[in-house]
């Protein structure tokens, strides 16, 4: 049981990073459906950089920059040019998929350098890793998993305990009022959209550098779409985002558990479980009436100052 739960944390890490990235973006009032594309861009650039430099730090930075680069395209088109957020996000997914195929085609079947895999080997945190039950699950993991813990905590502190975080919330709820109060709308939107894209890129890099350190096509495999739905499920809360990501990480590997138990359930049915669950959480979450479960008031709406 402990081993399975520890594996859920590993499987959920890319979802955690992408979910937190997307919820930060949505807190600005911008709906970015290009998470899948940004994750793919981060995955291929992180792997490419790691392969040619054998530097885990440069690989991570490259992945974050690739995700932020995709987000920059989205921000320019939607914030500056005021184009449709939905169409732009879907286009970004198509672009990211093509970009990953173009850059990654010569890399098919190539393994990540041993320096990278060694750097991201599992390492127990002293004292915490020895806590019964909890230690092996959460504190005997790799550095990337620990990074996801830090990101979730820092995101929560930023969003709920700082002035800039409060400004961000105001921006997403009523962009016109935030503008009238003196908040630099475009700066906030660009900064947070790029930060969200960088986290999505890191989520992709975790898949290509740690989870599956061999380059293969479609390494993200729909996790970006699950992350978009998870944002609704976790009510735009980064701490809940962590547990939501781990939950769906577990659903994605539960088929291996079934096989180990010899239940003989069809693999095709097992592969459907995370996506069926995604449909259910979207249906359930959209019927929540609590205020904290509602999306930002201006989510998906472009802001035109002249109409304020």
């Amino acid at each position: 049981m402990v081993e399975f739960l520890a594996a859920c944390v590993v499987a959920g890490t890319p979802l955690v990073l992408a979910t937190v990235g997307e919820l930060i973006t949505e807190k600005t009032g911008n709906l970015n459906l290009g998470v899948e594309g940004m994750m793919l861009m981060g995955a291929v650039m992180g792997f490419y950089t790691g392969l040619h430099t054998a530097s885990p730090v440069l690989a991570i930075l490259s992945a974050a920059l690739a995700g932020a680069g995709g987000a920059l395209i989205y921000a320019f088109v939607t914030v500056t040019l005021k184009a449709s957020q939905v169409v732009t996000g879907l286009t970004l997914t198509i672009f990211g998929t093509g970009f990953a195929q173009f850059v990654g085609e010569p890399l098919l079947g190539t393994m990540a350098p041993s320096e990278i895999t060694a750097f991201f080997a599992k390492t127990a945190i002293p004292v915490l890793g020895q806590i019964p039950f909890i230690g092996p699950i959460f504190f005997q993991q790799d550095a990337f998993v620990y990074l996801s813990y830090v990101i979730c905590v820092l995101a929560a502190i930023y969003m709920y305990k700082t002035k800039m975080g409060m400004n961000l919330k105001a921006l997403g709820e009523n962009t016109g009022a935030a503008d009238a109060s003196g908040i630099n709308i475009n700066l906030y939107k660009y900064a947070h959209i790029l930060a969200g894209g960088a986290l999505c890129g890191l989520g992709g890099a975790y898949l290509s550098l740690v989870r599956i350190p061999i380059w293969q096509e479609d390494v993200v495999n729909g996790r970006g779409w699950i992350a978009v739905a998870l944002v609704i499920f976790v009510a735009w809360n980064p701490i809940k985002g962590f547990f939501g990501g781990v939950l769906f990480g577990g659903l994605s590997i539960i088929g291996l558990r079934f096989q180990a138990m010899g239940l003989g359930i069809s693999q095709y049915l097992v592969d459907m479980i995370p996506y069926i669950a995604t449909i259910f959480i979207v249906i359930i979450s959209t019927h929540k009436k609590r205020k904290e479960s509602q999306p930002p008031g201006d989510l998906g709406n472009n802001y035109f100052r002249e109409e304020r």
Side-chain angles (χ1 to χ4, degrees), residues 84-251:
S84 168
Q85 296 178 18
V86 172
V87 173
T88 305
L90 294 174
T91 304
L92 179 57
T93 289
I94 297 171
F95 172 78
T97 302
F99 179 85
Q101 290 176 347
F102 176 75
V103 176
E105 185 176 4
L107 309 177
L108 285 174
T110 305
M111 293 189 65
S114 57
E115 294 88 348
I116 301 288
T117 54
F119 182 85
F120 291 119
K122 290 187 176 182
T123 305
I125 297 178
V127 182
L128 293 178
Q130 307 307 314
I131 300 174
F133 190 73
I134 294 177
I137 296 173
F138 294 106
F139 302 114
Q140 293 183 16
Q141 299 287 0
D142 58 77
F144 228 127
V145 173
Y146 299 143
L147 176 63
S148 72
Y149 299 167
V150 174
I151 288 173
C152 288
V153 172
L154 290 180
I157 293 173
Y158 175 77
M159 289 171 58
Y160 303 123
K161 300 296 182 181
T162 68
K163 179 180 178 180
M164 292 181 66
M166 294 296 104
N167 288 344
L168 175 64
K169 181 178 180 180
L171 173 63
E173 291 296 334
N174 191 323
T175 310
D179 188 15
S181 68
I183 296 174
N184 189 327
I185 298 300
N186 286 349
L187 177 60
Y188 263 78
K189 282 182 175 287
Y190 266 90
H192 291 89
I193 290 172
L194 265 61
L199 292 179
C200 292
L202 289 178
Y206 185 78
L207 289 167
S208 63
L209 294 174
V210 184
R211 183 82 196 283
I212 313 168
I214 301 175
W215 181 253
Q216 59 185 29
E217 285 189 358
D218 197 23
V219 67
V220 176
N221 194 28
R223 290 177 177 84
W225 298 110
I226 294 177
V228 172
L230 270 175
V231 173
I232 304 172
F233 178 60
V234 304
W236 293 266
N237 184 309
I239 300 299
K240 292 180 180 179
F242 171 77
F243 292 103
V246 171
L247 170 63
F248 273 75
L251 291 176

Side-chain angles (χ1 to χ4, degrees), residues 47-60:
F47 190 90
Y48 181 89
T49 303
L51 185 65
H52 288 84
T53 67
S55 169
V57 175
L58 290 178
I60 291 174

Side-chain angles (χ1 to χ4, degrees), residues 237-302:
N237 184 309
I239 300 299
K240 292 180 180 179
F242 171 77
F243 292 103
V246 171
L247 170 63
F248 273 75
L251 291 176
S252 69
I253 64 170
I254 199 169
L256 300 176
R257 187 74 171 180
F258 288 157
Q259 290 176 356
M261 296 169 64
L263 297 180
I265 299 176
S266 169
Q267 184 61 42
Y268 297 106
L269 179 61
V270 169
D271 290 341
M272 291 170 59
I273 291 176
Y275 304 99
I276 294 173
T278 300
I279 294 172
F280 276 108
I281 67 164
V282 170
I283 294 173
I284 294 171
S285 299
T286 51
H287 284 80
K288 290 180 179 179
K289 300 301 181 182
R290 291 181 301 173
K291 183 177 180 181
E292 61 271 19
S293 300
Q294 299 304 308
D298 270 351
L299 181 63
N301 300 324
N302 288 335

